[in-house]
């Protein structure tokens, strides 16, 4: 079978990307299936005034290419370096590769740049996908305790008694996940509403994007694409009776690595004036997906 792995990187995230690539390379040791990997380095001139920056874009391009050399023999590398304005965030990036690959691959696996994940993460996602034989599903690792109880359906039992708080989440040392607790992996079906965070090492089957979910550029560049997907699939499953599932791999635990996230470039890259903030981009996405959802529900 064929799988597509994706990650969107800003120049500030290039050091996190190095950590990611080392993890990906170890994961690829265990995979026999065909993997297409599409890293997207976003250096868009919309955001950055490279002429006035201490670091020039060539530094990040060289780092990106150097890191991709580590994995290019072990997957089909489809790398992108962007200076244009068509793709300005992870949402529009997903639109690009979903339109390109949804008819070519069996499933997509999405990563954020700051994820910490065990060496058996990708092979476990692929193995679960093939064993289940479900063409309309999301497969999700577990996580440690987050800031509220709405995420508890995904929380591993070793962390469920930790108080839910932002302090505990942001202070969690992601490298603790590499301690072997000796527990076997197992797969359970989530019977509640869909719950996942977009880039937290989730597998989404390509048929979801053929049958139920349409990404296009009118939805925007940056914002809660995962909320859009969850709301849409909840509607089709619980209101329309469609057979769509979410499966959770117990004892496969991943996390964002806030405590040790790397960014030494903040003061050395000059941003352009009068660019939209993340909040403005997210508001545009929220409005666009809200209209899309209302249109689908009221059809």
């Amino acid at each position: 079978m064929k799988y597509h792995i994706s990650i969107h990187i800003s120049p500030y995230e290039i050091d996190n990307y190095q950590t990611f690539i080392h993890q990906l390379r170890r994961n690829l040791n265990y995979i026999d299936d065909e993997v297409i990997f599409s890293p997207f380095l976003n250096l868009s001139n919309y955001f950055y005034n490279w002429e006035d920056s201490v670091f020039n874009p060539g530094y990040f391009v060289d780092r990106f290419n150097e890191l991709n050399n580590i994995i290019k023999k072990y997957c089909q590398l489809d790398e992108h370096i962007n200076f244009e304005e068509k793709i300005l965030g992870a949402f529009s990036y997903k639109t690009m590769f979903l339109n390109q690959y949804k008819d070519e691959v069996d499933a997509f696996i999405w990563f954020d740049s700051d994820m910490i994940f065990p060496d058996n993460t990708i092979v476990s996602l692929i193995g679960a996908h093939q064993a289940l034989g479900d063409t309309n599903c999301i497969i999700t690792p577990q996580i440690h305790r987050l800031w509220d109880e709405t995420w508890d359906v995904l929380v591993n039992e070793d962390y469920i008694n930790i108080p839910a708080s932002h302090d505990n989440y942001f202070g969690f040392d992601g490298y603790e996940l590499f301690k072997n607790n000796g527990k076997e992996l197992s797969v359970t079906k989530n019977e509640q509403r869909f719950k996942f965070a977009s880039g937290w090492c989730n597998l989404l089957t390509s048929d979801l994007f053929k049958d139920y979910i349409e990404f296009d550029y009118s939805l925007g560049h940056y914002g809660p694409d995962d909320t859009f997907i969850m709301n849409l699939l909840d509607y089709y499953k619980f209101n329309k009776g469609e057979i769509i599932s979410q499966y959770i791999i117990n004892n496969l635990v991943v996390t964002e690595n806030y405590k040790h996230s790397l960014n030494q470039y903040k003061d050395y890259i000059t941003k352009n004036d009068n660019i939209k903030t993340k909040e403005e981009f997210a508001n545009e996405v929220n409005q666009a997906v809200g209209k899309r959802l209302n249109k689908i529900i009221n059809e």
Side-chain angles (χ1 to χ4, degrees):
M1 301 183 79
K2 186 183 291 188
Y3 297 87
H4 182 271
I5 296 174
S6 60
I7 186 170
H8 175 277
I9 314 133
S10 77
Y12 303 107
E13 297 171 317
I14 196 68
D15 290 341
N16 284 333
Y17 184 60
Q18 177 172 316
T19 301
F20 168 84
I21 282 290
H22 292 163
Q23 295 177 105
L24 176 62
R25 175 63 188 88
R26 294 195 300 270
N27 269 256
L28 290 172
N29 285 329
Y30 304 101
I31 299 170
D32 296 323
D33 295 272
E34 185 174 352
V35 171
I36 301 170
F37 175 48
S38 297
F40 191 94
L41 177 62
N42 204 339
L43 305 176
S44 175
N45 292 318
Y46 171 81
F47 293 114
Y48 309 113
N49 179 349
W50 291 112
E51 290 185 359
D52 293 340
S53 296
V54 174
F55 282 88
N56 65 54
Y59 169 81
F60 299 99
V61 170
D62 289 345
R63 287 284 309 280
F64 184 65
N65 290 333
E66 181 182 40
L67 291 169
N68 290 338
N69 284 335
I70 295 172
I71 50 83
K72 68 180 182 180
K73 292 183 180 179
Y74 305 95
C75 60
Q76 179 181 328
L77 181 62
D78 175 31
E79 58 190 345
H80 299 264
I81 300 168
N82 178 59
F83 288 96
E84 300 179 357
E85 297 188 16
K86 184 176 181 180
I87 309 296
L88 296 179
F91 202 132
S92 51
Y93 164 56
K94 289 184 177 74
T95 297
M96 181 193 78
F97 73 70
L98 286 169
N99 290 334
Q100 181 178 357
Y101 285 114
K102 66 182 179 182
D103 293 319
E104 183 177 339
V105 303
D106 296 284
F108 297 93
I109 302 173
W110 294 353
F111 285 92
D112 288 337
S113 65
D114 59 350
M115 293 305 298
I116 296 295
F117 53 100
D119 294 352
N120 63 336
T121 299
I122 298 174
V123 72
S124 299
L125 290 167
I126 290 174
H129 173 240
Q130 295 181 4
L132 291 164
D134 191 335
T135 59
N136 278 309
C137 72
I138 297 174
I139 302 175
T140 310
Q142 290 190 301
I143 55 177
H144 68 91
R145 197 81 186 277
L146 301 193
W147 45 83
D148 63 52
E149 295 177 355
T150 65
W151 292 92
D152 284 359
V153 65
L154 298 179
V155 174
N156 180 264
E157 63 181 1
D158 288 347
Y159 304 101
I160 196 65
N161 292 321
I162 295 173
S165 73
H166 282 89
D167 287 342
N168 284 336
Y169 177 68
F170 293 131
F172 181 73
D173 184 350
Y175 294 105
E176 289 186 13
L177 298 181
F178 291 100
K179 292 191 297 187
N180 185 359
N181 62 12
K183 296 179 180 179
E184 295 291 329
L185 303 186
S186 62
V187 177
T188 55
K189 182 182 283 190
N190 174 24
E191 302 293 353
Q192 303 177 38
R193 294 187 176 275
F194 287 89
K195 191 71 174 179
F196 75 103
S198 187
W200 291 5
C201 315
N202 300 287
L203 181 148
L204 300 92
T205 58
S206 58
D207 279 1
L208 289 175
F209 300 97
K210 301 174 190 176
D211 299 338
Y212 301 107
I213 308 163
E214 181 183 1
F215 273 43
D216 60 53
Y217 291 109
S218 70
L219 294 176
H221 292 285
Y222 171 85
D225 52 82
D226 44 17
T227 303
F228 172 55
I229 293 171
M230 287 187 286
N231 287 335
L232 195 55
L233 295 184
D234 281 343
Y235 168 72
Y236 281 121
K237 179 174 183 176
F238 295 107
N239 294 81
K240 304 296 286 186
E242 298 288 338
I243 300 175
I244 312 168
S245 300
Q246 179 178 12
Y247 302 95
I248 300 167
I249 303 181
N250 302 303
N251 299 317
L252 178 67
V253 188
V254 303
T255 185
E256 286 183 300
N257 197 25
Y258 272 104
K259 185 173 184 177
H260 300 297
S261 185
L262 304 171
N263 177 11
Q264 61 177 325
Y265 305 103
K266 182 178 179 181
D267 297 327
Y268 303 101
I269 300 174
T270 302
K271 286 191 172 182
N272 289 318
D273 296 328
N274 301 317
I275 59 175
K276 294 176 184 176
T277 64
K278 283 187 174 182
E279 291 75 19
E280 289 173 319
F281 277 115
N283 285 337
E284 290 179 351
V285 166
N286 280 323
Q287 291 178 17
V289 301
K291 290 179 180 178
R292 178 70 58 82
L293 287 166
N294 286 333
K295 181 180 178 181
I296 292 170
I297 291 170
N298 293 319
E299 283 179 345

